[in-house]
Each structure stands twice: as C-alpha cells, then as structure tokens.
Amino acid sequence: MNARPESPDQLEHLRSLEQEARREISETDAPQALVEVRARYLGRKGSVSDLLRSLGGLEPTERARMGKAANEAKARIEEWVRQRRTEIDQEQREHALSGRCQDVTLPGVPFVRGRLHPVTRVVREVVEFFVSMGFTLEEGPEVETDYNNFEALNFPPDHPARDMQDTFFVEGGHVLRTHTSPVQIRAMTGRQPPFRFIAIGRVYRHDLSPRHSPMFQQVEGFMVDEHTTFADLKGVLYAFAEHMMGSGTDLRFRSSYFPFTEPSAELDFQCVLCKGQGCATCSQSGWIEWGGCGMIHPQVLENCGIDAARYQGFAFGMGLERSAMNRHSIPHIRLLYDGDVRVLEQL
Ligand SMILES: [Zn+2]
C-alpha cells in the first residue's frame, strides 16, 4: 500500500485555525465571551472538531498523524483558554480594587465622633439626679436686675456682703448675675409652696486670677414646705454627693454667713483621692470646698410673697467645674474654657 503524502492543505488549515484561536482568545476580556470562543473551535460543532471529522478519507498513517496533530492543537487551545480565564479573573479583581468599585472587605475609614464637653456631662448628671428627686428645672436670664440678684436676696444697697461677689455691671442698672440665686426669686414670686426647684447656668464674677474664671457654672437647689428642715437639706446633699462622687462620700458643714440663708453653712466634701488623709489636691486638709447652703432667710420668703411664719425651706448652690476637674484631673479651670481642642480631645 502506497503511503499517500500527508495533506499539506489540511495541516496548514489546522495551523491557521490554531493561530486564529490564539488571537481571539487573547482579545477576549470576559468569561462569557471566552466560553463562546472555546465553543467555536473545540465544541462538538467547532472548527477543529469539523477538521477531525474530515480526516476519514485519508490514508490511515496520515490520518493518525493528522489526528495526533489536531489533538495536540486542541490541548494547546484548551491551555490558552485556561490561562486567559485566570488573567481575566485577575484583571477584574484589580479593576474592583482600583476605586471604581469599593471593596467592602477592606477596613473602613474611621469616622471621628465628637464628644460632650465635660461640664455639659456634669450638668446632665446633675439634672438627672434632681429630676429623680422630684425637683423641676427653673431658668432665669444671665443679665439680671439688681433687685433679683441682690436686694430681694437680702443684700440691701451698700451692704458689705455685696463685696463678696465681684460684680460685672451692665448699663441700665443691671448686672451679670453673680450666682443662680436670683432664679429663687423668679421661681418663688407668685407661687405658693410646697415646691422644689433647681436652677443651672452660667454666672459671672469679676475675678481675673488665673486660678478662677470670670464665668463659671452653678447649680442651685431650693425646696419650701411647711416642715422642711436642715435635716432634709443634709439628706438631699448626701444623696447628691453619692450620685456625683460615689457611695460613702462624706460631707462637712461649716458655719458661715450668707445674707439670704439663716443659718448658713459652707459645704465641703471629703477628698475622693486621699479619702480624707490629706494630699496635694485637697491642700493636705482632706476636704474640698463644694458650695454653700442653709435655710432660706424668712425675709427672702416674705419678699416673694410667701408666709414665712407658715413655710420654711432650704437652698444650696455650688460650682460645677470642680466636679468635671476632679473627674478628669484637670489642674486649671481655664483649660475647660480656653477652647483648646487638644485638651478636650483627651477627656
Ligand atoms: Zn486629698
């Protein structure tokens, strides 16, 4: 049997199909398109499959050689498809990471949250406590009449007690309130006991020493009823101290003088750092000044139209910055009001 020469046409056709497939595969950029290209060459009705079917008429040796060549071509095309698929997957991943799409598995950009000022936090705690004790919140203006700030509170004109409160005077005979006590006058005038109120807000004193601030915050509480006593005052203040500084906080009442209370007391709390042993914070005394308190002077009640023979009440007031400073070990009150964000960010 004469061996027929292998068909150069068919081999050439196979090589050109292979080159064509290689080019198309390399130009494909989506997985679905790649599936279609592969089917066009290697599928049951694909060009290479057609070629294999057409080998039937060849002489057996040549048929075997062409069959081998075609199967090798198929294997190469399969390999190019596999490589291209890997490349397409990689390209798509890189595209997703390049910013046009967000990769939700990446760590997020932290969102900086603001915080309440330490004094605001204290104010809220104070209000929460007194509301739980049945007190209601009363407000008054920061520019106050001389009458409400002094006279109705039993500071007559030229009374030396006025010197205890360095005052900012405003045109028209008004003052920047030196304490929250004028809110007592506003709240009690025109009302009949029993009642219990708190007032919170900014007060002003002309004290420019570095250890003080000309503006600070006070809370004032007062309660009037037929049988309100100093014992009630102590009960409220002990509960308040425990709420603000922890259970077991001890208080000290020192006899004092205020025009609008009688008897009057300065109020100290036991130093929370040394528990009364003495340390730098409490100047070795074991106690820290907190505020003032006493029984409302009968004249103040009468000034508000309340029968002082029938009713009596207590009042107390204290600055709020001290609590915020103790809590965060802030050495100077002015750090709270300088507006330096670096300070506040540490709190
Ligand atoms: Zn101490």
Side-chain angles (χ1 to χ4, degrees):
M1 195 185 285
N2 290 334
R4 286 196 297 181
E6 65 185 355
S7 160
D9 282 350
Q10 278 175 317
L11 194 60
E12 206 157 295
H13 182 49
L14 181 65
R15 295 287 171 244
S16 80
L17 276 181
E18 198 180 329
Q19 288 312 309
E20 214 178 301
R22 186 169 200 176
R23 183 181 53 75
E24 279 197 49
I25 288 166
S26 71
E27 285 169 4
T28 302
D29 59 8
Q32 184 53 37
L34 194 61
V35 169
E36 287 161 14
V37 171
R38 183 189 172 282
R40 208 146 56 235
Y41 292 92
L42 305 183
R44 221 155 44 79
K45 294 179 177 173
S47 345
V48 178
S49 307
D50 285 344
L51 182 81
L52 276 169
R53 272 195 292 277
S54 73
L55 300 181
L58 294 181
E59 186 273 327
T61 312
E62 193 186 344
R63 194 168 68 212
R65 290 174 60 163
M66 268 308 292
K68 186 163 177 276
N71 281 327
E72 284 169 352
K74 277 178 77 172
R76 279 193 292 274
I77 292 171
E78 284 285 15
E79 176 62 11
W80 294 331
V81 167
R82 199 188 56 74
Q83 280 177 5
R84 184 63 192 141
R85 177 62 205 247
T86 306
E87 287 169 14
I88 289 172
D89 288 348
Q90 177 68 16
E91 285 165 12
Q92 288 188 337
R93 247 197 313 278
E94 280 169 3
H95 178 71
L97 290 173
S98 73
R100 280 192 52 188
C101 304
Q102 281 201 332
D103 181 353
V104 294
T105 64
L106 288 173
V109 179
F111 182 77
V112 183
R113 289 185 68 184
R115 259 163 297 190
L116 292 174
H117 191 282
V119 174
T120 305
R121 275 181 263 167
V122 170
V123 165
R124 292 192 178 185
E125 278 176 42
V126 168
V127 171
E128 186 187 330
F129 170 78
F130 282 108
V131 166
S132 79
M133 297 280 282
F135 285 71
T136 46
L137 194 59
E138 277 288 314
E139 289 181 317
E142 291 171 26
V143 177
E144 196 41 288
T145 63
D146 181 276
Y147 178 81
N148 284 340
N149 195 80
F150 290 122
E151 207 171 327
L153 289 163
N154 227 10
F155 293 80
D158 305 320
H159 191 285
R162 288 195 178 203
D163 289 344
M164 292 159 63
Q165 302 186 354
D166 298 314
T167 308
F168 287 105
F169 293 93
V170 181
E171 282 180 23
H174 288 50
V175 298
L176 294 185
R177 66 180 181 188
T178 56
H179 47 181
T180 42
S181 302
V183 181
Q184 285 185 36
I185 305 303
R186 291 174 172 274
M188 292 197 290
T189 302
R191 280 197 176 103
Q192 285 302 307
F195 47 62
R196 48 187 115 169
F197 295 117
I198 54 164
I200 287 194
R202 282 179 281 273
V203 301
Y204 302 84
R205 297 195 191 177
H206 189 265
D207 184 345
L208 303 181
S209 75
R211 285 182 56 82
H212 296 95
S213 164
M215 184 282 291
F216 56 99
Q217 313 247 356
Q218 263 192 350
V219 57
E220 174 107 6
F222 49 102
M223 173 172 167
V224 180
D225 202 346
E226 288 186 30
H227 304 291
T228 303
T229 68
F230 205 98
D232 297 317
L233 169 62
K234 290 180 75 172
V236 168
L237 289 173
Y238 269 100
F240 182 37
E242 294 209 339
H243 177 78
M244 297 301 289
M245 290 166 280
S247 62
T249 302
D250 204 3
L251 295 178
R252 183 171 74 172
F253 296 81
R254 286 179 289 121
S255 178
S256 184
Y257 169 78
F258 304 111
F260 44 100
T261 46
E262 180 59 36
S264 304
E266 298 271 2
L267 177 64
D268 305 326
F269 61 86
Q270 194 177 52
C271 177
V272 288
L273 293 179
C274 64
K275 300 285 176 210
Q277 298 304 301
C279 68
T281 300
C282 57
S283 306
Q284 307 304 328
S285 71
W287 298 93
I288 293 175
E289 284 185 32
W290 201 18
C293 62
M295 299 304 292
I296 298 173
H297 196 289
Q299 186 60 50
V300 174
L301 294 176
E302 294 287 345
N303 289 346
C304 297
I306 293 167
D307 181 359
R310 183 177 171 195
Y311 294 107
Q312 53 187 344
F314 64 73
F316 59 87
M318 62 271 293
L320 294 176
E321 285 81 1
R322 178 60 57 191
S323 296
M325 291 164 69
N326 285 343
R327 196 166 293 178
H328 300 289
S329 301
I330 300 168
H332 302 297
I333 186 172
R334 297 220 174 167
L335 292 172
L336 290 170
Y337 295 122
D338 281 347
D340 188 334
V341 177
R342 289 171 305 175
V343 172
L344 299 178
E345 276 173 350
Q346 299 172 50
L347 305 178

